[in-house]
Amino acid sequence: MNPRGDTWMALFPPLAGLPEAERGMLATRAAAAALPAGTTVFEPQQACGAFLFVTRGSVRVYQLDQDGNEIVLYRLGPGSICILTTMALLAADRYSAYAVTETEVEAVALPGPTFDDLMGRSPRFRGFVFLAHAERMADLMRVIQNVTFESIESRLAARLLALAADRGTLSITHQQLAAEIGSAREVVSRHLKAFERRGWVSLARNRIEVRNAASLRGAAGDADA
Amino acid sequence: MNPRGDTWMALFPPLAGLPEAERGMLATRAAAAALPAGTTVFEPQQACGAFLFVTRGSVRVYQLDQDGNEIVLYRLGPGSICILTTMALLAADRYSAYAVTETEVEAVALPGPTFDDLMGRSPRFRGFVFLAHAERMADLMRVIQNVTFESIESRLAARLLALAADRGTLSITHQQLAAEIGSAREVVSRHLKAFERRGWVSLARNRIEVRNAASLRGAAGDADA
DNA sequence: TCGTCACCGTGACTTCGTCACAGACGACAG
DNA sequence: CTGTCGTCTGTGACGAAGTCACGGTGACGA
């Protein structure tokens, strides 16, 4: 049923301490699923009825307003669970958030009843779920901190570094970058141009190369934490 | 032990469906507490070790940056639970949020072990807790939506209406109002002056009177949702 | 009555968001 | 190879919002 056995559990350190019986439940009741890049995983007024463990790839969760403005709230990678579907599952509430796969994503789905069973049976599993909720809550609070108190320049620098990771170069448009930090394309373009003039990055269509990460880190300051 | 018996549970509709045994646990294990106005309930690096039901009064939860800038995240009133302490209790995570009582507050505290016991025992109680988490998460997403996409004027109008409720007048400084919406005092002062010129409010030291709620509602637009 | 202190008003300036529009690049068909 | 087309990027102009500096003013106690 699960093509990779229960090895996916290794991606979730808090699950390591679960008793064998509960690991067995996870292994036998969970079903793996693969989603191509660009799949809409979640949007308002429509919920997926399972508890999802992400085992590979990346899911971007973002907010939209009615004019199409966008801001990225957080990303889910291997080892994360989708808290929006959990909320929708258990609290029947509705959010104004969207989630889309950025790459091909593999996830393990736990049926609602099994999830609830585990929540009742296992203090450790409860701790795991609460921890995940706490992390997402912290993500949202970080976003609020950034948009409210940090300058565009520092947020942009921080986000460039985060997205480039150690690859040093990234394929992204200015429009997408603006959506990352909840700003406007023109504003991002101007700041990138300024970064380029200072020799911190090189710009080309759809491509940004980080040339001086140290300076960017300095400009990032406290942004993103 | 609990001076008001278990009548406080009536404030939490989702608890109504709990079996008698679980209501009994809540009634006998929970302890009431009263906090004077201005008490710091929560701040980073320091957690209170219990699960809190607010039964009277109002708690303001807000974020600070290092320069003293402030933004209100949400309020807890009668019928709300304090999710930050829950998180701290179960996930041992730390937040950059502060919580302070705005009025005298009465709360019912459930010891950690009893909370965990109930979480394991009662699917309904789990649903209740998840619903509370979902509501706070929705609050944070609303804050993000507002600070990112809404104008100061609409946010200010919306917040004036929310704070004035139906009393029509409120005692608050421009500085506090700025903290409500995460802006600066001067900006708020200027917009209030504009509102006054339009006859929507009257201003005095420490006092704002709403004179034309309909116009304010119009200006609020989609802010606060 | 006189400081003192918090609160409020205002001008000047910077940063950011919005609008309009002009180039520039890449993919692709003919 | 070349023209076309859609997307991406650059830029000026302007309004909205944040920052800084400073002055006025009302409440309140010494």
Side-chain angles (χ1 to χ4, degrees):
Chain A
M1 174 176 296
N2 179 339
R4 298 166 59 207
D6 65 348
T7 58
W8 60 269
M9 273 180 252
L11 292 170
F12 297 81
L15 295 184
L18 287 183
E20 267 314 300
E22 293 160 12
R23 292 180 63 85
M25 279 184 68
L26 280 173
T28 58
R29 305 275 182 81
L35 303 167
T39 307
T40 295
V41 181
F42 185 91
E43 60 185 18
Q45 324 309 340
Q46 165 252 336
C48 117
F51 182 80
L52 292 179
F53 299 82
V54 177
T55 54
R56 197 167 58 77
S58 170
V59 179
R60 185 175 73 247
V61 178
Y62 60 98
Q63 247 179 332
L64 278 182
D65 76 351
Q66 60 276 31
D67 303 335
N69 295 318
E70 191 175 332
I71 183 169
V72 173
L73 299 177
Y74 53 82
R75 289 184 159 75
L76 303 175
S80 302
I81 62 177
C82 178
I83 203 178
L84 288 174
T85 54
T86 313
M87 296 275 191
L89 203 60
L90 295 180
D93 212 341
R94 288 288 170 270
Y95 296 97
S96 55
Y98 296 75
V100 60
T101 56
E102 296 194 293
T103 62
E104 194 188 30
V105 165
E106 273 180 22
V108 173
L110 201 61
T114 307
F115 173 76
D116 201 46
D117 188 5
L118 261 178
M119 281 293 286
R121 180 188 307 264
S122 173
R124 270 183 178 280
F125 187 72
R126 285 200 291 278
F128 165 68
V129 171
F130 272 109
L131 180 60
H133 280 230
E135 286 168 350
R136 291 303 81 71
M137 192 82 88
D139 287 339
L140 295 185
M141 287 171 38
R142 189 158 40 240
V143 170
I144 293 172
Q145 189 84 26
N146 281 328
V147 299
T148 312
F149 304 130
E150 299 292 335
S151 71
I152 291 288
E153 173 159 320
S154 60
R155 287 155 61 197
L156 182 58
R159 194 53 68 105
L160 279 176
L161 290 169
L163 292 173
D166 43 356
R167 293 187 309 285
T169 174
L170 62 172
S171 295
I172 194 171
T173 68
H174 298 183
Q175 178 64 63
Q176 290 172 307
L177 216 31
E180 288 285 334
I181 62 174
S183 179
R185 198 228 357 126
E186 300 91 320
V187 176
V188 167
S189 284
R190 282 192 254 262
H191 281 280
L192 285 175
K193 214 62 191 146
F195 287 171
E196 189 180 42
R197 276 193 289 271
R198 295 174 217 163
W200 297 358
V201 300
S202 317
L203 301 177
R205 192 187 174 88
N206 268 314
R207 210 172 61 70
I208 300 175
E209 191 167 349
V210 174
R211 291 219 169 273
N212 188 339
S215 294
L216 282 175
R217 261 190 296 277
D222 292 327
D224 259 3
Chain B
M1 174 175 295
N2 180 340
R4 297 166 60 206
D6 64 348
T7 58
W8 60 269
M9 273 180 250
L11 292 170
F12 298 82
L15 295 183
L18 287 183
E20 266 315 300
E22 292 160 13
R23 292 179 63 86
M25 278 184 69
L26 281 173
T28 58
R29 305 274 184 82
L35 302 167
T39 307
T40 295
V41 181
F42 186 92
E43 59 185 19
Q45 325 309 336
Q46 166 252 336
C48 118
F51 182 80
L52 292 179
F53 299 80
V54 177
T55 54
R56 197 168 58 78
S58 170
V59 179
R60 185 174 75 245
V61 178
Y62 60 98
Q63 248 179 331
L64 279 181
D65 77 349
Q66 60 278 26
D67 303 334
N69 295 318
E70 191 174 331
I71 182 169
V72 173
L73 299 177
Y74 53 83
R75 287 184 160 75
L76 302 176
S80 302
I81 62 177
C82 178
I83 202 177
L84 288 173
T85 55
T86 315
M87 297 274 190
L89 203 60
L90 296 180
D93 212 340
R94 289 288 170 269
Y95 296 95
S96 56
Y98 297 74
V100 61
T101 56
E102 296 192 294
T103 61
E104 193 188 28
V105 165
E106 272 180 22
V108 173
L110 202 61
T114 307
F115 172 77
D116 201 47
D117 189 3
L118 261 178
M119 281 294 287
R121 180 188 308 264
S122 171
R124 270 182 179 278
F125 187 73
R126 284 200 292 278
F128 165 69
V129 172
F130 271 109
L131 179 61
H133 279 230
E135 286 168 350
R136 281 330 121 242
M137 192 82 86
D139 286 338
L140 295 185
M141 287 172 32
R142 187 158 41 240
V143 170
I144 293 173
Q145 189 84 26
N146 280 329
V147 298
T148 313
F149 303 130
E150 298 293 335
S151 71
I152 290 289
E153 172 159 319
S154 60
R155 287 156 61 198
L156 183 57
R159 194 54 68 105
L160 279 177
L161 290 170
L163 292 174
D166 43 357
R167 291 188 309 285
T169 173
L170 62 173
S171 294
I172 194 172
T173 69
H174 298 184
Q175 178 63 61
Q176 290 172 307
L177 215 32
E180 289 286 333
I181 61 175
S183 178
R185 187 205 36 100
E186 300 91 321
V187 176
V188 167
S189 284
R190 281 191 256 262
H191 282 279
L192 285 175
K193 214 64 193 144
F195 287 171
E196 189 181 42
R197 276 192 290 270
R198 294 176 218 164
W200 297 358
V201 300
S202 317
L203 302 177
R205 191 186 177 88
N206 269 313
R207 208 171 63 65
I208 300 175
E209 190 167 348
V210 174
R211 291 219 169 273
N212 189 337
S215 294
L216 282 175
R217 260 191 296 279
D222 292 328
D224 258 4

